[in-house]
């Protein structure tokens, strides 16, 4: 009995736990993380709206925008095939011209190949030096005809881009072959240039597309670009498209069926799916009001009024704890809309009475074991005290 009494006196501290209690996490707004406040945010419609708005602001369609297909403009390194016609008698290009059709109305054609110089200039016989940089082939045609009028007999010109060297997109990373993909007049889209580089070498759910344009850089999961046509924007000259292999995972701890690092697919993987993948909350231990997600969050994704004193990490993020009260039926809709991110920590606190119930169970087990042992020992003592019967003569 002395052993049992000792256990009763120290039982609440002797039994371990799976993590902090619900009450201690609720006091995080008064706690510090390396000297700065931690923000505790209730997961509700307003919080989801802010998170969704931030995610949308960083999408390809919003941050970089789409554009209409445009005629290609010429730049340094482009190779042009310039065809010039003049009606007979051909006097400028003479014997160099080829007869394009028989008869009195035949015209002679001369084909000239030119490379746009680094300063954007072209030099064409009988036309002279002209600026081609930033102009379309159609504009060059009109300029050639204008300069030849009065010198050639009924001049006509056709300018064809035979080699595109100035308008390219660089595609690299987890693709079959990193390369520079030329942009044609139809306006290639993001998935077009990825396909031109041979496509991704990894599952689309584990690949992040990073698009850099000028000083702006943003990233999205490839699976989302495929599922949302608005994100499949037209690329522009000088864009750099990088495919990054990024396996996603979150840490699951606390009063759930499975404590582990759990991988998941990129894209919209919800908190509801995360809870399902862990096996759900433990009925005998979980506090349904204490479902928490620990995250280093972007400041723009939360209400600034609650994060004024929050610590800014090296990457600009702040420590945030999101709380979901699963006793509210609407929480199941919130859990479906809340999107998990890579390296999130999902923690479910233990119910206040769970440790006591476990303690009582432990004490009861020890008590019954002690009683059983006492009964065995008592039975042995009684047997030893009873004298053996004397043998009969």
């Amino acid at each position: 009995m002395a052993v049992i009494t000792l256990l009763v006196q120290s039982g609440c501290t002797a039994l371990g736990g799976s993590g902090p209690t619900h009450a201690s996490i609720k006091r995080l707004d008064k706690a510090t993380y390396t000297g700065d406040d931690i923000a505790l945010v209730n997961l509700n419609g307003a919080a989801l709206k802010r998170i969704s708005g931030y995610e949308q602001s960083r999408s390809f369609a919003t941050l970089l925008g789409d554009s209409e297909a445009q005629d290609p403009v010429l730049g340094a390194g482009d190779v042009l095939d310039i065809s010039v016609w003049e009606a007979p008698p051909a006097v400028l290009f003479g014997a160099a011209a080829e007869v394009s059709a028989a008869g009195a109305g035949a015209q002679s054609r001369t084909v000239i190949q030119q490379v746009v110089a680094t300063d954007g200039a072209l030099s064409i016989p009988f036309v002279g030096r002209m600026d081609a940089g930033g102009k379309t082939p159609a504009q060059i045609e009109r300029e050639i005809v204008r300069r030849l009028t009065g010198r050639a007999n009924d001049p006509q010109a056709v300018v064809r881009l035979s080699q595109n060297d100035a308008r390219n997109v660089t595609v690299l990373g987890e693709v079959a072959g990193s390369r520079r993909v030329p942009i044609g007049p139809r306006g290639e889209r993001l998935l077009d240039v990825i396909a031109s580089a041979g496509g991704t070498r990894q599952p689309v759910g584990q690949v992040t597309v990073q698009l850099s344009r000028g000083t702006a850089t943003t990233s999205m999961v490839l699976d989302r670009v495929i599922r949302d046509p608005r994100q499949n924007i037209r690329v522009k000259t000088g864009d750099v498209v990088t495919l990054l292999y990024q396996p996603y995972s979150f840490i699951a701890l606390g009063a759930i069926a499975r404590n582990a690092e759990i991988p998941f697919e990129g894209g919209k993987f919800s908190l509801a799916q995360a809870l399902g993948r862990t096996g759900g909350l433990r009925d005998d231990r979980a506090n349904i009001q204490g479902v928490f997600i620990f995250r280093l969050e972007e400041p723009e994704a939360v209400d600034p009024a609650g994060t004024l004193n929050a610590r800014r990490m090296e990457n600009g993020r702040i420590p945030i704890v999101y709380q979901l009260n699963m006793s509210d039926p609407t929480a199941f809709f919130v859990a479906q809309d809340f999107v998990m991110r890579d390296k999130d920590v999902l923690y479910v606190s233990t119910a206040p009475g769970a440790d006591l119930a476990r303690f009582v169970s432990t004490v009861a087990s020890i008590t019954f074991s002690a009683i059983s042992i006492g009964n065995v020992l008592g039975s042995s003592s009684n047997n030893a005290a009873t004298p053996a019967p004397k043998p009969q003569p």
Side-chain angles (χ1 to χ4, degrees), residues 12 84-85 101 114 116 224 241 253 263 271 287 296 299 373 379:
C12 291
V84 179
W85 282 266
Q114 290 287 313
V116 180
R224 182 180 172 187
V241 179
L253 300 172
L271 174 57
N287 182 351
L296 293 177
I373 294 173
S379 176

Side-chain angles (χ1 to χ4, degrees), residues 340-356:
M340 298 293 290
R341 291 189 195 158
D342 188 36
K343 302 300 185 294
D344 277 353
V345 176
L346 169 62
Y347 174 72
V348 178
S349 62
T350 304
D355 288 336
L356 178 61

